[in-house]
Structure formats: C-alpha cells, structure tokens
Amino acid sequence: MAQQDSFLKLKGRIGDLTFYKTKNGHQVREKGGVSAQRIATDPKYQRTRENNADFRTASLAAKHLRDALRPLILFTYDPGMPNRLGSRMVRVVRADAEHVRGERQVLPANLAILRRFNFNAAATLANTLFATVRTAVDADEGIVRITVPAIKPATQLSKPREATHFQFVAGAAMLDFSEEGESTLALAQTEEHSLSQLTVDETMLELALPADAGLPIVTVFGVAFYKEDEGRSYGLNNGAYNPMSMVNITV
C-alpha cells in the first residue's frame, strides 16, 4: 500500500488508483480483487457462487415484500429499513433445509423469522404502544381481525412532543414469492383520536383477503401520529415517529 508524500491531497479514484485519507495520512491503492469471470467459473469459488445465489434469492424476496407492503411502509421513515429487512430475509432463506446451498428458497414455514420485524428502528411498536394487540386469522374465509384493547393515551402511548392526534393502521398481505407471483394487500385504519382523550375504546380492524388461497399471510400493525393545525391534521416528520411492525405470520 502506497502513501502519498506531496502537497497534493487527493481523494477518490483516478483510473485503477483509489486515493483516500486515514488516520495515518493520505494513501493510495490499486484496484484489485478476483475477477467476476473467475468467481463464475473457478471450482475454488463454488461456495462463493452458492452464497451469492442464496443472497440474490433473499434480496428479491425482500424487495417483493417491500413492494407488497409499500402503502404501510410509507407511514414510516427509516432509510436503513431495506438493509435490515434484507438481512432478516437472508435468515429466512438460510433456514431452508429442503434445498441444497445455492438453491434455497423462501419457504412459508420459515417466514416466522420475520415476526416482530419493525419497519422503523427508531420507533418500535413495543416501545410506543403499551397494550397487547390481538390478531385472529381465518385463512379459509380470508378474514384477518386485529383487536386493540381500550387504552389511556396519556399512559399507554409514547407520543412525540408535538403530536395532538393518532390513529391505528393495519394491513394484511397474502404473499406469493414464486417467480411470477403477485401478493395481495388489504388495508384498514381507524379515525384519528385526540391524544387528550382520557380513554379510547377497544378497537377492531377487519381485513378481507382471497379465501382459501393456500398462501402465507403476514399481518402488519402500527400507529400514526399527527399534529392538528387550524382544523387540519399533518403527519409529523415524514413518519419518523410512527411504529409499524409485523405482528403475525400465518402459514
């Protein structure tokens, strides 16, 4: 590794040379590494090819899930969420014991690994709503019911300082991870409740999906906070305070 010894303090890449700064000064290194052709053909890199294939499977499945749940994800804001979800999906793929390495798939039986995944790491559901949310799934009828017990907002919601109102938001997605598969999403949300209410009555959200489809169903639940200004409600900080979590997986 070469070290720069001149008044020119370069950063970035010029041709095959990369210039960068470390605690030991400005340094430069030449582009190297194993070629893509060798990785694709050399028997020594068979394990690498297998790992890459499984990672691609997980990446595509994570993108499919994000696309299926996009209307719910838009209630939150977490730039690191795609990477976190991708890592969780890698665990799902690696849990496949039916296929050999490099050919592993997203099996419904392993989707339970996604349970309690929070789409907003800075505002998790467990640290925002201090009540037990119940989920009942009837796959034969295609009905998902989510029940939130009566709560006292003052003590059972960890609310942003500027928030004046909140609502519960839920969705149920029937997932098809096959190559040409299409997932189905059902959405429901409550009216906006004032955070100054002493008590909010028990709430039930019901979602309808295709009946007896034989596909896994993921249930997502969250809380959205708003600020009322001159009679109109506005979301706070692009959803940065809103939790959204996978609360149930039914296979």
Side-chain angles (χ1 to χ4, degrees), residues 28-248:
V28 58
R29 63 186 174 199
E30 186 177 7
K31 181 180 179 181
V34 182
S35 69
Q37 176 65 21
R38 184 180 177 190
I39 291 176
T41 58
D42 193 329
K44 292 182 179 180
Y45 290 93
Q46 176 66 25
R47 181 59 57 84
T48 299
R49 291 193 292 271
E50 294 168 351
N51 288 336
N52 287 346
D54 287 343
F55 183 79
R56 282 193 297 271
T57 298
S59 296
L60 290 173
K63 182 181 185 304
H64 181 94
L65 184 57
R66 294 199 312 273
D67 290 343
L69 299 177
R70 189 166 304 281
L72 291 164
I73 294 173
L74 290 176
F75 276 94
T76 71
Y77 178 74
D78 181 355
M81 183 276 294
N83 287 337
R84 292 191 298 105
L85 182 59
S87 296
R88 187 75 70 95
M89 195 63 78
V90 167
R91 290 171 52 192
V92 173
V93 171
R94 288 178 176 171
D96 176 10
E98 297 182 12
H99 301 87
V100 297
R101 187 190 300 267
E103 298 179 10
R104 292 184 289 200
Q105 304 295 320
V106 175
L107 300 182
N110 298 325
L111 289 175
I113 294 172
L114 297 174
R115 192 166 183 265
R116 295 192 180 92
F117 178 84
N118 286 287
F119 290 95
N120 186 356
T124 64
L125 183 62
N127 290 328
T128 303
L129 175 63
F130 305 107
T132 300
V133 177
R134 303 190 305 275
T135 304
V137 179
D138 186 335
D140 293 336
E141 296 294 330
I143 300 298
V144 177
R145 294 182 179 90
I146 301 171
T147 304
V148 185
I151 65 167
K152 297 179 179 180
T155 58
Q156 291 180 276
L157 274 177
S158 178
K159 54 188 177 296
R161 180 177 301 176
E162 297 181 358
T164 60
H165 291 73
F166 74 97
Q167 69 177 167
F168 297 128
V169 181
M174 187 169 284
L175 301 175
D176 186 348
F177 288 107
S178 63
E179 187 172 348
E180 301 297 330
E182 293 186 7
S183 295
T184 303
L185 176 67
L187 298 170
Q189 59 192 55
T190 65
E191 63 182 8
E192 293 180 18
H193 299 288
S194 171
L195 284 163
S196 63
Q197 287 181 237
L198 293 179
T199 303
V200 174
D201 293 337
E202 179 180 272
T203 302
M204 176 181 287
L205 296 169
E206 185 170 289
L207 305 114
L209 291 168
D212 197 21
L215 292 171
I217 297 173
V218 57
T219 305
V220 179
F221 177 82
V223 184
F225 291 103
Y226 301 92
K227 178 181 180 180
E228 186 179 82
D229 186 8
E230 297 183 354
R232 300 188 64 178
S233 292
Y234 300 89
L236 295 177
N237 201 15
N238 295 323
Y241 302 110
N242 297 340
M244 194 70 64
S245 177
M246 295 191 206
V247 294
N248 186 269

Side-chain angles (χ1 to χ4, degrees), residues 19-33:
F19 298 82
Y20 60 100
K21 183 179 180 181
T22 71
K23 63 181 181 180
N24 296 319
H26 289 76
Q27 299 185 352
V28 58
R29 63 186 174 199
E30 186 177 7
K31 181 180 179 181

